[in-house]
Amino acid sequence: MPFSRVVGHSQQISFIKKLIESSSFPQVSIFSGPGGIGKKLIAVETAKLLTGRETAINIKVIGKEEIPKIEEIRESIEWMFRKPVSSNCKVLIVDRAESLRKEVANALLKLLEEPPSYGYIMLITSNEHSLLPTIRSRASYFRFSKLTEKNVEYILETLNMEIDRRILKISEGSPGNAIAIMKSDILPLID
């Protein structure tokens, strides 16, 4: 079931579901908010709901491992303009959109200006203001906030990670930050 793995963000998820149910989800959207709070997970779950499939067919995520390069954007544009397989739409998710170099962002802009009728593009960013103004003007926004300490604690528990109250305090409502802190050598320094 879509969104079952998402913790928090209930208002945004409810709004996204209503837009999809009414066939009015925007073709170009920006998922903005602090890092490590689940924006990419929500984008993937939104894509599954849009495509009507639990698998990633007709969904492409770029920028997961490293900042997208121009070749990856060009390949993604070609992929987007091939008709979807066994679905009525395709979804391109661009992670770390705030880090796109200017020429890469301009290449992506061509797709954002005229996406195919069956295409949806979601940009994931922790700093929407570093996106080109021409990109920002073509997108609808979904803004996400940090999670509560209880939400972060719950996520860490589901990942079978040891809970340290100090980490919950300094993670600033970001499970991603909490996990990174736990994997780093910073805890002895906090003492």
Side-chain angles (χ1 to χ4, degrees), residues 40 61-64 68 93-98 100 122 124-125:
K40 184 172 46 176
V61 182
I62 62 172
K64 289 187 286 191
I93 300 170
V94 182
D95 198 7
R96 300 192 222 181
E98 73 277 2
L100 295 176
M122 298 175 200
I124 312 299
T125 182

Side-chain angles (χ1 to χ4, degrees), residues 161-174:
M161 299 184 92
E162 190 175 320
I163 307 301
D164 185 318
R165 293 269 163 234
R166 299 169 299 172
I167 291 174
L168 292 176
K169 294 282 183 210
I170 62 175
S171 67
E172 299 181 322
S174 167

